[in-house]
Amino acid sequence: MRGADALMEALVHEGVEHIFGIPGGANLPTYDALVDADLRHIQARHEQAAGHAAEGYAHASGRTGVAFGTSGPGATNLVTAIADAMMDSIPTVFVTGQVRSDLIGTDGFQEADIVGITLPIVKHSALVTEASQIPEYIHHAFRIASTGRPGPVLVDIPSDLIREEISYTPPTELVELPGYRPIVEGNAKQIRLAAKALANARRPILYTGGGVIHADAATELREFAMSDRFPVTSTLMGLGAFPSDSDQWLGMLGMHGTRAANYAMDEADLIVAIGARFDDRITGKLSEFAPNAKIIHIDIDPAEISKNVPAHIPIVGDAKLILPKLTGEYRALQTEQERLDGWWSRIRGWQEEYPLTYEPGSDGEIKPQFMIEMLHKVTEGDAFVTSDVGQHQMWVAQYYGFNEPHRWINSGGLGTMGFGLPSAIGAKVACPGEEVVCVAGDGSLIMNVQELATAVTEDIPVKVFLMNNGFMGMVRQWQELFWDGRYSGVDNGTSPDWAKLAEAFGAKGLRCDDEADLEEMMRATLDHDGTALLDVRVSPLENCYPMIPAGNAARDMVG
Amino acid sequence: MGSPEMVRLEDLRTGRSLTGRKHVLSILVENRPGVLARVAGLFSRRGFNIDTLAVGPTDDPEVSRITLTLDGAVHPIDQVTKQLHKLINVLKIRDMEPDLTVARELALFKVSAAVESRAEIVQFAEIFRAKIVDVSRRALIIEVTGSYDKIEAFEQMLRPHGLLEMVRTGEVALSRGE
Ligand SMILES: Cc1ncc(C[n+]2csc(CCOP(=O)(O)OP(=O)(O)O)c2C)c(N)n1
Ligand SMILES: [Mg+2]
């Protein structure tokens, strides 16, 4: 068979059903093989969006997302999505066409050294140099992308090699990768030590991250947290792993986290970090981060442990395996319940004194926070929600209230504007029976708005709720607060007319500028049988609070 | 580990991150195109400074060895090795124990040696067990092998005599015994 047919067979063998991409000269053979393959190809309108769709697919389902691009610009257009997947550890496989092998290095037409370009932003990558490597590298790619700490893997295939005849039978056993052995078990002694430390903690807190969701360990986390009354907070990426309606939930921590969560980290005597990486948006000023705390750090990536904050009890491995053991060890110690009473009364004090609030709108003004609360209401808190990057993203994180993992899909590490719509398309493809909504920003949406064409043409009905403040809101907020209100490059003006734009793409377009109409219009958007966009005109100058100004400590929160 | 009372939070300690000494890392990697770029790229991206780097084949044609030295006073070696381990083509990393390691470097020095000062230079070379490998009318090339420090010392001796050019390979190292 041709290399291209082997590629298809290898993908099918890996369980792939959907691929997002755009063809071109160098991957024509791939697209020819697609015609007969048992795979659905979703033709994106920009490779960046194909990549984000693959990410959204992976976020929503936990399965590896796949995107195709041709050589040169097709491949370079994928770069942002690859970087995004790297930062948020999203299992993805990118397959790019490359110029003929005899042209490599000659600056041939549409040649770009995509393996070189992406070296720092992939978990792994490979340039195929012999046709027989095509299926082999694909199998490696899936293994590497989806196990250990997940991430993007790129396979670059020259157009001559993919036409060559090769023989291929799918492997029956896992392929050997001598340099790749993720540690999963978790050291039993360390786990016991952690349980004992917890038993002696007076002010413990669980700080969880996206790793819990990647590990599919939400249930295990809940059992562990409830083995005592441990307070739980999470990063932006970890929301949903622990239910926001639990009374042990403190809300998100970090730059736009709750005071209760940030103050509790500040005063904790023991922090249990699980699948979280002490990013600067969490720690604020590193030298003043959690000054009183000892750290138990559970992570599948040993390099994360003690990278930013030194750990006292490191535990390397898979949270899904470690948490039940830790729960067992902890229960066996039979600690007394009252031990945490004092800590809880302190936390309750903060929660009462500093709840998340905002000034309600007057005269029909739609407050952005209200918009998110209303979205929660009309979706019964049960939708898959994607977002772009900016204030609206933070407001979703603060106000939507996620109770289940995988339902909150956003770009945390890289902070990629334009992520929301394509990732919603990917999520909807992965979970067609679920309601998938994208909370978009007006600055962000236009960066990938062409994907409305994909949603309409491919019949992937997603609902876009545009939080339209007319500004690059988050940047405007920083200019207002930290740059003397000297606005520069943040006014989006009144273009486009979003409802008309949606209609031009063949979607339904609606617009709402009165709070009184919001619920009804949101319901109409959800009820529409197909892709729809609701342009919600929110308060233009609202700021997102509370906030730890960059480089400050948690106790210096403002707003 | 005894009863819960025996793990007091105040007794918990973190590992030491800076060792304060030079480290020689011996890294076995798959012999494939682009592997050195991955290793070098990792160092530059993470802001780790390599002092010396040497790459060459091993007894196994599928495997190459990268020997590099870096300063444990500025870089957390533990973090460096953990990041290196994440590269799929990296097979094995050894942080060489100074007392159990034989480390050598080769250097070539070109000195402008007027006939009058040649005798002195030849004498230095003898002391350092260096070899004069090329002689021309105006210059000598001297080859010296040894530890990093020995080559440093030799360089100091030569400098006043008109050092024209030098090249050093970077240390390579093996651990003693089997
Ligand atoms: C691709 C990209 N370019 C620039 C930025 C910097 N940036 C962060 S938030 C933001 C404004 C986003 O505006 P909008 O989408 O309208 O969201 P809002 O903050 O108004 O809710 C910008 C420009 C970014 N995160 N991503
Ligand atoms: Mg905006």
Side-chain angles (χ1 to χ4, degrees):
Chain A
M1 67 180 82
R2 291 174 303 176
D5 300 307
L7 168 63
M8 298 304 139
E9 274 206 30
L11 290 170
V12 170
H13 184 71
E14 292 293 344
V16 176
E17 295 171 49
H18 302 94
I19 289 162
F20 304 88
I22 299 184
N27 65 358
L28 273 169
T30 305
Y31 274 77
D32 183 68
L34 256 178
V35 174
D36 300 321
D38 195 11
L39 291 163
R40 178 175 174 202
H41 177 262
I42 290 119
Q43 180 190 332
R45 295 321 195 247
H46 189 296
E47 289 86 354
Q48 182 196 352
H52 291 324
E55 289 186 82
Y57 185 93
H59 262 282
S61 64
R63 283 148 58 195
T64 303
V66 185
F68 284 179
T70 190
S71 67
T76 56
N77 272 352
L78 285 170
V79 168
T80 300
I82 296 172
D84 194 273
M86 185 68 175
M87 289 293 261
D88 286 340
S89 308
I90 309 303
T92 37
V93 171
F94 296 87
V95 182
T96 46
Q98 182 53 276
V99 299
R100 286 197 327 258
S101 18
D102 61 304
L103 287 175
I104 291 178
T106 68
D107 305 317
F109 176 63
Q110 294 195 326
E111 180 184 359
D113 173 14
I114 194 63
V115 168
I117 288 169
T118 56
L119 268 188
I121 52 167
V122 292
K123 184 169 176 189
H124 190 54
S125 58
L127 169 67
V128 168
T129 53
E130 285 168 38
S132 63
Q133 294 163 347
I134 294 169
E136 180 192 340
Y137 284 4
I138 291 294
H139 294 307
H140 292 179
F142 276 82
R143 170 96 173 284
I144 293 166
S146 64
T147 58
R149 177 178 183 176
V153 179
L154 173 88
V155 182
D156 194 26
I157 314 179
S159 66
D160 54 334
L161 301 181
I162 201 158
R163 289 161 178 251
E164 272 182 27
E165 288 291 317
I166 60 169
S167 64
Y168 164 66
T169 36
T172 47
E173 286 169 25
L174 270 191
V175 268
E176 177 71 8
L177 285 167
Y180 183 66
R181 269 172 250 99
I183 301 162
V184 292
E185 282 296 337
N187 181 301
K189 259 189 179 164
Q190 292 290 90
I191 294 173
R192 201 167 312 134
L193 182 63
K196 289 180 177 178
L198 265 167
N200 281 310
R202 289 287 173 275
R203 298 186 307 281
I205 182 167
L206 312 189
Y207 148 53
T208 71
V212 174
I213 297 175
H214 296 315
D216 187 28
T219 310
E220 291 76 7
L221 170 67
R222 291 163 191 215
E223 275 165 21
F224 171 52
M226 290 165 191
S227 67
D228 202 332
R229 288 176 306 142
F230 296 130
V232 184
T233 181
S234 151
T235 66
L236 178 69
M237 299 313 293
L239 296 177
F242 194 77
S244 68
D245 56 15
S246 160
D247 69 349
Q248 283 170 238
W249 174 244
L250 306 191
M252 180 171 78
L253 83 167
M255 184 171 273
H256 290 288
T258 63
R259 276 195 160 74
N262 284 326
Y263 289 178
M265 290 290 280
D266 188 52
E267 291 193 9
D269 65 355
L270 184 65
I271 292 172
V272 188
I274 311 166
R277 60 188 176 85
F278 296 88
D279 160 270
D280 55 275
R281 284 319 194 233
I282 298 303
T283 60
K285 189 172 186 181
L286 204 53
S287 59
E288 288 176 32
F289 172 70
N292 309 305
K294 304 291 176 176
I295 312 275
I296 298 172
H297 195 168
I298 302 172
D299 206 289
I300 196 147
D301 180 356
E304 282 307 336
I305 288 171
S306 301
K307 183 183 77 177
N308 295 338
V309 173
H312 299 80
I313 308 180
I315 307 177
V316 177
D318 183 343
K320 195 174 179 69
L321 302 178
I322 292 168
L323 288 175
K325 293 182 200 163
L326 183 55
T327 310
E329 293 283 354
Y330 183 76
R331 280 190 200 282
L333 297 175
Q334 302 194 334
T335 53
E336 353 94 55
Q337 285 281 312
E338 306 74 45
R339 186 173 51 101
L340 303 182
D341 285 353
W343 182 221
W344 270 112
S345 68
R346 184 124 180 93
I347 292 171
R348 295 286 180 237
W350 291 319
Q351 288 177 318
E352 270 158 43
E353 197 174 344
Y354 310 107
L356 278 176
T357 53
Y358 60 94
E359 284 285 314
S362 55
D363 296 331
E365 178 190 7
I366 305 172
K367 284 294 186 125
Q369 302 91 332
F370 177 80
M371 171 182 167
I372 303 303
E373 288 177 332
M374 184 56 77
L375 184 67
H376 177 99
K377 183 176 172 195
V378 297
T379 55
E380 289 163 11
D382 201 29
F384 281 65
V385 184
T386 75
S387 88
D388 286 313
V389 168
Q391 292 178 313
H392 62 283
Q393 174 190 28
M394 293 300 123
W395 280 316
V396 178
Q398 291 177 336
Y399 287 92
Y400 189 81
F402 292 92
N403 290 326
E404 295 299 332
H406 296 293
R407 286 175 187 247
W408 168 227
I409 298 169
N410 79 130
S411 166
L414 197 65
T416 309
M417 291 169 71
F419 178 86
L421 176 57
S423 62
I425 291 172
K428 184 71 181 174
V429 170
C431 306
E434 303 282 349
E435 189 76 76
V436 177
V437 306
C438 163
V439 177
D442 52 314
S444 301
L445 179 59
I446 206 155
M447 291 195 181
N448 271 320
V449 75
Q450 77 286 342
E451 296 309 310
L452 283 174
T454 308
V456 170
T457 312
E458 299 271 350
D459 194 18
I460 304 164
V462 295
K463 313 294 173 165
V464 180
F465 292 91
L466 171 61
M467 184 181 284
N468 189 351
N469 53 15
F471 279 108
M472 301 285 187
M474 187 58 94
V475 182
R476 186 204 57 72
Q477 174 172 342
W478 282 52
Q479 289 179 350
E480 179 193 324
L481 299 178
F482 312 120
W483 297 84
D484 292 332
R486 287 157 56 87
Y487 289 165
S488 178
V490 292
D491 188 347
N492 293 334
T494 54
S495 171
D497 179 327
W498 290 97
K500 273 194 192 158
L501 184 64
E503 297 281 342
F505 278 108
K508 185 170 181 62
L510 304 100
R511 170 178 155 177
C512 179
D513 40 26
D514 192 325
E515 191 192 87
D517 304 331
L518 187 61
E519 176 164 2
E520 199 190 315
M521 298 200 77
M522 278 188 161
R523 290 192 191 280
T525 309
L526 291 173
D527 289 345
H528 176 69
D529 184 20
T531 293
L533 180 151
L534 176 61
D535 173 9
V536 183
R537 301 300 176 95
V538 299
S539 334
L541 298 175
E542 186 76 7
N543 285 338
C544 184
Y545 288 124
M547 160 170 212
I548 307 175
N552 281 54
R555 69 188 90 86
D556 302 325
M557 284 203 94
V558 298
Chain B
M1 280 210 198
S3 62
E5 296 74 48
M6 289 177 63
V7 179
R8 298 191 317 163
L9 294 190
E10 52 271 35
D11 296 338
L12 294 173
R13 295 280 173 271
T14 61
R16 201 164 48 125
S17 67
L18 295 179
T19 60
R21 65 171 171 88
K22 180 184 105 172
H23 286 252
V24 179
L25 299 184
S26 175
I27 307 164
L28 294 176
V29 299
E30 289 179 275
N31 179 13
R32 284 174 192 259
V35 174
L36 183 61
R38 282 176 209 275
V39 172
L42 175 88
F43 275 78
S44 66
R45 175 163 64 97
R46 300 254 174 211
F48 303 143
N49 244 322
I50 305 176
D51 291 333
T52 71
L53 173 87
V55 192
T58 63
D59 49 306
D60 179 347
E62 310 259 289
V63 175
S64 305
R65 187 191 303 273
I66 299 176
T67 309
L68 54 84
T69 58
L70 67 167
D71 187 352
V74 283
H75 302 307
I77 301 298
D78 194 39
Q79 177 62 208
V80 174
T81 57
K82 288 192 295 192
Q83 292 293 352
L84 279 168
H85 264 302
K86 284 167 67 169
L87 299 176
I88 312 290
N89 303 125
V90 168
L91 302 172
K92 200 171 170 189
I93 303 170
R94 197 152 181 179
D95 181 4
M96 307 295 274
E97 277 290 332
D99 297 343
L100 305 174
T101 301
V102 177
R104 289 290 181 274
E105 183 172 5
L106 181 141
L108 298 174
F109 294 92
K110 190 191 280 180
V111 280
S112 69
V115 179
E116 314 80 75
S117 62
R118 283 193 180 187
E120 200 176 354
I121 292 173
V122 169
Q123 213 180 351
F124 289 157
E126 263 168 27
I127 297 167
F128 279 84
R129 279 191 252 159
K131 274 189 277 182
I132 297 176
V133 290
D134 187 66
V135 183
S136 65
R137 224 153 50 78
R138 301 239 166 109
L140 297 175
I141 296 180
I142 308 169
E143 172 197 311
V144 60
T145 332
S147 69
Y148 183 87
D149 293 337
K150 173 178 161 185
I151 293 175
E152 288 284 288
F154 189 57
E155 184 192 330
Q156 292 311 319
M157 303 284 276
L158 283 183
R159 270 204 182 276
H161 296 276
L163 180 58
L164 295 174
E165 262 188 291
M166 61 173 268
V167 57
R168 299 173 64 159
T169 59
E171 274 185 315
V172 293
L174 283 178
S175 58
R176 297 180 202 274
E178 82 289 1

